[in-house]
């Protein structure tokens, strides 16, 4: 079964600074990878996904992530943080259930704080 | 353009009471999911339905039951609520294969006293 590790449950950056949120997955076979964002009292929204092809994936709100097979990583970055980026971010990987259906396995999340 | 709609948004129950959480999607998606979110635990899959008429257990199914009423609706039932089931519950849906993202509702915040 797949697993996802997000390093750092809390990350704090200054407005305008680089945002780097780390995600590592366990699969030896290239999986499908997703980053979601959750704003307070809301559901999860898709930021970006990697399926096949280009390993640098661009998403909404200026975020991007790079798939590195050799490092089994899919870190999320944004060059310049904005106050509105304060939220919780979840990395997820596709997996197969015991019943043969497809599901997502989520990391435990990283809460991003942006300081003025 | 509703997407995934969950009702109710908030609920307080007493231990032993029963309740059904409702979820409906208007995107004609085949697959639907129920998750619970607890602080520091991420999202954990409770039950899922790959298509109308089928349901299966996820990672944490104990104490829950589900019904896939039709293609649009997927309900989650707590037969005898316990304090350990205090959580935020999310419903999600997806179309196509595992390369497609899941779409989430806004959640139901459930407290069990």
């Amino acid at each position: 079964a797949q697993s996802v590790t997000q390093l750092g449950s809390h990350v704090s950056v200054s407005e305008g600074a680089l945002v780097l949120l780390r995600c590592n997955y366990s699969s030896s076979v290239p999986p499908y990878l997703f980053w979601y964002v959750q704003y307070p009292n809301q559901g999860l929204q898709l930021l970006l996904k990697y399926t096949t092809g280009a390993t640098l994936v661009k998403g909404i709100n200026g975020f991007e992530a790079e798939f590195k097979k050799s490092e089994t990583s899919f870190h999320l970055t944004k060059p310049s943080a904005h106050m509105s980026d304060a939220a919780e971010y979840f990395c997820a990987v596709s997996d197969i259930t015991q019943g043969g259906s497809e599901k997502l396995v989520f990391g435990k999340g990283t809460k991003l704080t942006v300081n003025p | 353009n509703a997407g995934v709609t969950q009702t109710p948004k908030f609920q307080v129950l007493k231990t032993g009471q029963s309740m059904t959480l409702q979820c409906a999607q208007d995107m004609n998606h085949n697959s639907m999911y129920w998750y619970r979110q607890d602080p520091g635990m991420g999202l954990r899959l409770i039950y899922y339905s790959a298509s109308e008429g089928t349901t299966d257990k996820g990672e944490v199914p104990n104490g829950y039951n589900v019904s896939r009423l039709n293609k649009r609706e997927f309900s989650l039932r707590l037969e005898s609520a316990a304090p350990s089931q205090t959580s935020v519950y999310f419903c999600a849906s997806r179309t196509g294969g595992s390369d497609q993202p899941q779409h989430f509702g806004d959640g139901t915040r459930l407290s069990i006293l």
Side-chain angles (χ1 to χ4, degrees):
Chain A
Q2 294 274 15
S3 65
V4 176
T5 302
Q6 290 184 240
L7 289 175
S9 58
H10 290 84
V11 170
S12 182
V13 301
S14 298
E15 191 173 20
L18 172 72
V19 175
L20 171 60
L21 305 182
R22 299 178 188 274
C23 172
N24 288 88
Y25 62 92
S26 63
S27 175
S28 60
V29 176
Y32 301 131
L33 294 155
F34 303 84
W35 274 101
Y36 286 86
V37 60
Q38 184 182 32
Y39 299 103
N41 299 315
Q42 294 187 23
L44 277 69
Q45 302 173 31
L46 180 70
L47 270 179
L48 48 80
K49 67 176 183 178
Y50 170 78
T51 54
T52 59
T55 56
L56 184 62
V57 180
K58 295 187 184 299
I60 62 171
N61 301 337
F63 284 93
E64 60 184 34
E66 186 171 10
F67 170 64
K68 291 188 176 181
K69 180 181 176 181
S70 61
E71 298 177 9
T72 60
S73 69
F74 190 55
H75 301 332
L76 181 71
T77 60
K78 182 173 180 177
S80 177
H82 192 273
M83 297 295 289
S84 60
D85 294 328
E88 190 158 18
Y89 293 79
F90 293 92
C91 181
V93 63
S94 57
D95 197 7
I96 302 296
T97 69
Q98 289 186 339
S101 297
E102 295 149 342
K103 66 173 185 177
L104 285 179
V105 175
F106 286 87
K108 296 184 182 210
T110 297
K111 188 164 288 188
L112 176 66
T113 300
V114 182
N115 302 306
Chain B
N1 197 21
V4 178
T5 302
Q6 293 184 235
T7 55
K9 295 190 184 304
F10 302 93
Q11 186 70 46
V12 179
L13 294 178
K14 294 181 179 178
T15 298
Q17 288 185 317
S18 62
M19 171 163 191
T20 299
L21 309 185
Q22 307 286 353
C23 174
Q25 51 91 10
D26 62 1
M27 298 173 283
N28 202 36
H29 286 173
N30 288 323
S31 302
M32 297 186 73
Y33 306 82
W34 276 105
Y35 295 91
R36 61 178 289 172
Q37 183 181 27
D38 303 292
M41 301 292 288
L43 276 75
R44 292 182 291 170
L45 183 64
I46 305 171
Y47 269 93
Y48 65 95
S49 171
S51 61
E52 185 179 354
T54 67
T55 62
D56 211 339
K57 295 178 180 179
E59 183 184 353
V60 288
N62 291 344
Y64 305 96
N65 284 299
V66 291
S67 296
R68 183 75 183 266
L69 304 171
N70 48 55
K71 192 170 186 179
R72 290 187 64 248
E73 298 173 287
F74 188 38
S75 62
L76 178 72
R77 183 161 178 84
L78 287 70
E79 290 291 351
S80 178
S84 62
Q85 295 177 304
T86 293
S87 188
V88 183
Y89 291 86
F90 287 99
C91 177
S93 69
R94 192 197 71 198
T95 189
S98 55
D99 61 330
Q100 297 300 310
Q102 293 183 14
H103 299 258
F104 286 81
D106 284 340
T108 294
R109 285 149 185 83
L110 183 61
S111 292
I112 299 162
L113 307 177

